Amino acid sequence: MRNDPGSMRPRTIRRDAPAVPAGSGVSFIMPVLNERDYLPRAVESTLAQEVDGPIELILALAPSTDGTTELAHRMAGADPRITLVDNPAADIPVGLNLAIRASRYPTIVRVDAHSELSPGYTMQALDTLDRTRAANVGGIMHAEGHSPFQRAAAAAYNSRIGLGGGAYHGGRQEAEAESAYLGVMRRTVLEEVGLFDETIRRGEDWELNLRIRRAGYRVMFDPELAVTYRPRENWPRLARQFLATGRWRGELVRRYGSRNSLRFFAPPALVGTFAAALVVAVLRGTRALTGAAAAIAGLVFVPVAAYATVVAAFAAARRGAGCGERAWILAVVPTMHLAWGAGFLAGLARGASDTVDTSRLDGRNTPLP
C-alpha cells in the first residue's frame, strides 16, 4: 500500500478520536525477529500491564535463526493471552499489520521486542487518550545497556547530543507531537487511515502519524509514559542500523518533502562538512591549495573542531561511566550521526526501496525490527 504525497494537502478540520468504553480491552502487538535474549522480558513486562478489561499479545514472528520462534511457541503454549502470526516477509510494517488484523480489541499498543514497558504504562496511556481524545499517544524512549558499548549507545540515545530533537528522547511537557515512540492507538483511526504503509521499512511510525495528523486527529506526547529500550550490542550492528534508518529518512523526504522536520537535515549537513574538511586537508597537504585560499578554506575545520569538542565533553561528563564506556561514546556518537547522514544522502539520491536493516542478523539481507 503506497500513499500519494500529492494527495496529502493541508487540512484544517480538527477531530476527536472516537471514545472507547471502559473495560473494552487492549491488544498489544509486537514484531519479532532474532530476539531470544530479549523476548522473555519484553513479553513479561507487557503481560504484567494492569488494564481495566481483557488483554492479548500478538507476536508477529519473522524467520528467526536464534531459537526465537521456538521460544515464542513455548510461551504461547503457556499463556492463552499470547497469539502467534507468521510474518515471512520479515518487514516491520507487514508484521504490525498482520498483528493488528489478528487482534480483537479497540485500543492497539505497539511493543518492541527489544523494549520493556514500565509498570502502569498502559493505564496512563489510556487515561491520556481518554482525556485528550487523541488517536495516538507515546512517551519517553529510555535506553539502557549492559556492556560498556551498549551503555555508551544508550547514553547517546538519551541525550539531545546523540538523537536530539524528538520529544520522546527527552521531552518534559505533555504536548501534541509529530510522531510517537511505539504508540498506543485507537483501532478505528488506524483502520480509517489505512494501517501501516507496507512499502516503508523504516520510519513507518512517522509516516503513519503523518496520515493520522493529516486526517485531523491528534498525536500526543506524554512524558509520564516510559519504555526501556535496549540498543544494538556492538558497533557494526549500530552502524548498519543507522545507515539503513538514515536512508529510509531520505526516502521519506523524497516522498513527503517539507513535511519532514528540519532536524532531519542536521546529520547530512555534518557529513557534508566532514567531507569538505577532508578535501581541504588533502589539498593543503599536497600544496594544491596555498596562501589566502588555503586560509579561507581552512575555516571548514572550525565546525569540525567544535563538533569534536562537544562529543569529547559529553563523554567526559558522563557520570558514573568507566573508561570503556567513555571511549565508546567517542565512537558511538559520530557513528550515529555520520552513518545516518550518509544513509540519508544515499536515500535522497537513489531512494531506499532496496534497503533493509540487517543489524539484528549476521550476513543475511533480511528486513527486521
Side-chain angles (χ1 to χ4, degrees), residues 342-359:
F344 178 95
L345 293 172
L348 192 63
R350 303 193 302 272
S353 60
D354 61 342
T355 300
V356 295
D357 177 4
T358 62
S359 60

Side-chain angles (χ1 to χ4, degrees), residues 171-182:
R172 297 181 180 179
Q173 299 294 325
E174 180 182 290
E176 292 193 38
E178 176 185 16
S179 188
Y181 175 57
L182 298 181

Side-chain angles (χ1 to χ4, degrees), residues 14 38 61 90 95 100 112 115 139 164-165 173 178 231 318:
R14 301 285 287 172
Y38 295 95
L61 300 177
I100 291 170
D112 184 358
S115 65
Q173 299 294 325
E178 176 185 16
R318 177 71 173 155

Side-chain angles (χ1 to χ4, degrees), residues 35-46:
E35 295 286 4
R36 181 181 176 85
D37 292 339
Y38 295 95
L39 185 63
R41 183 57 189 151
V43 170
E44 179 184 346
S45 71
T46 299

